[in-house]
């Protein structure tokens, strides 16, 4: 079965850092673009970042540029999101998802179960 | 304020038909970028319902259909069932923002 499993969420103080991981299985990870999407409590979905197959192309939503870094390790079938200078407004469930196409016209399938990041003092 | 505009809520009785609109602009849907739809049941991750404007993944009932025209798209659900109660999101790409955009989501209530 195609599966994505996120980990690394938790409680962090404002200004702190956290690294999320997403373990992929059931498909050839190295051949797909991958994406992070977040959802603040009670709110809608927000695209965060995506990365191409070999990690050379990376795109971010403006609100996280300069603070978050997306990366991947194809040998470990894993996707990462390094989050620095965290703010209260970054509090959300973070989902990793597989792109079915490239960066532009792609939909996301499947999604992981999500990992909760809470930024609070 | 989402780049793609959806009604916050829609409702219908079992067996009825409802539609959910997704209104964009010339920098996203109107440019020709595809629209995709997701269903998010309470407490779960989103699941793709419609991709490429009109296509249903295997396993999605044909009660769900998508359409696109100009700067808007729509999701139609016929034969409403109680377990269709969920949040529904549209998604596209925006060339001005150089990124993926989602609608604000629509909560479907089955009366």
């Amino acid at each position: 079965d195609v599966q994505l499993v996120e980990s690394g969420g938790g409680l962090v103080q404002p200004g702190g850092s956290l690294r999320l991981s997403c373990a992929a299985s059931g498909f050839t990870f190295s051949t797909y673009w991958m994406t992070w999407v977040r959802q603040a409590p009670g709110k809608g979905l927000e695209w965060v970042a995506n990365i191409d197959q070999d990690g050379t192309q990376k795109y971010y939503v403006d609100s996280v540029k300069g603070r978050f870094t997306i990366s991947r390790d194809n040998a470990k079938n894993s996707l990462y999101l390094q989050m620095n200078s965290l703010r209260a407004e970054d509090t959300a469930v973070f989902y990793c998802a597989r792109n079915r196409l490239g960066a532009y016209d792609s939909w996301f399938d499947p999604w992981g179960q999500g990992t909760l990041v809470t930024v609070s003092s | 304020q989402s780049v793609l505009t959806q009604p916050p809520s829609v409702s219908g009785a079992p067996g009825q038909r409802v539609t959910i609109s997704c209104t964009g602009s010339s920098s996203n849907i109107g440019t020709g970028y595809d629209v995709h739809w997701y269903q998010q049941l309470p407490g779960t991750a989103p699941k793709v319902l419609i991709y490429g404007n009109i296509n249903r993944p295997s396993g999605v009932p044909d009660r769900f259909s998508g359409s696109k025209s100009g700067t808007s798209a729509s999701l139609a659900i016929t034969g409403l069932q109680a377990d269709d109660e969920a949040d529904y999101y549209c998604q596209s790409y925006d060339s001005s923002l150089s990124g993926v955009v989602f609608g604000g989501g629509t909560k479907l209530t089955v009366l």
Side-chain angles (χ1 to χ4, degrees):
Chain A
D1 274 5
V2 175
Q3 193 173 15
L4 299 170
V5 179
E6 302 94 336
S7 60
L11 175 64
V12 60
Q13 293 189 337
S17 298
L18 213 53
R19 187 197 198 205
L20 305 183
S21 299
C22 172
S25 59
F27 65 101
T28 306
F29 179 72
S30 61
T31 64
Y32 287 89
W33 278 74
M34 296 294 295
T35 289
W36 287 100
V37 174
R38 67 182 175 182
Q39 186 170 35
K43 303 297 184 182
L45 303 172
E46 181 184 38
W47 169 75
V48 174
N50 57 20
I51 187 170
D52 72 347
Q53 291 90 335
D54 60 7
T56 55
Q57 297 182 66
K58 305 175 184 182
Y59 301 99
Y60 301 90
V61 68
D62 282 349
S63 59
V64 309
K65 282 179 183 174
R67 301 189 300 124
F68 290 12
T69 302
I70 189 172
S71 64
R72 64 192 296 161
D73 184 336
N74 288 339
K76 294 183 177 179
N77 291 333
S78 292
L79 177 72
Y80 305 103
L81 187 68
Q82 177 66 44
M83 305 185 294
N84 299 330
S85 303
L86 281 161
R87 306 166 180 166
E89 54 266 35
D90 294 318
T91 294
V93 173
F94 283 73
Y95 297 99
C96 70
R98 181 181 69 171
N99 290 38
R100 294 313 308 274
L101 295 175
Y104 307 113
D105 261 342
S106 186
W107 64 102
F108 307 123
D109 178 51
W111 297 56
Q113 86 288 350
T115 188
L116 176 62
V117 172
T118 303
V119 185
S120 174
S121 54
Chain B
Q1 203 83 334
S2 300
V3 172
L4 304 179
T5 301
Q6 299 179 231
S9 63
V10 297
S11 62
Q16 284 191 332
R17 178 182 187 269
V18 297
T19 61
I20 298 173
S21 60
C22 175
T23 302
S25 68
S26 57
S27 62
N28 41 69
I29 300 173
T31 296
Y33 290 112
D34 286 343
V35 178
H36 319 293
W37 291 90
Y38 301 89
Q39 177 192 59
Q40 186 176 33
L41 297 168
T44 69
K47 179 189 94 167
V48 62
L49 266 187
I50 299 289
Y51 67 92
N53 307 311
I54 61 171
N55 303 292
R56 274 188 317 274
S58 60
V60 173
D62 60 6
R63 301 187 298 107
F64 295 90
S65 63
S67 64
K68 175 187 162 185
S69 178
T71 58
S72 295
S74 289
L75 173 70
I77 310 172
T78 59
L80 268 183
Q81 300 178 0
D83 57 8
D84 293 334
E85 276 208 349
D87 293 323
Y88 293 84
Y89 294 91
C90 61
Q91 175 238 313
S92 187
Y93 181 86
D94 191 282
S95 56
S96 294
L97 297 174
S98 297
V100 173
V101 289
F102 285 94
T106 299
K107 183 175 183 58
L108 169 63
T109 301
V110 181
L111 302 170

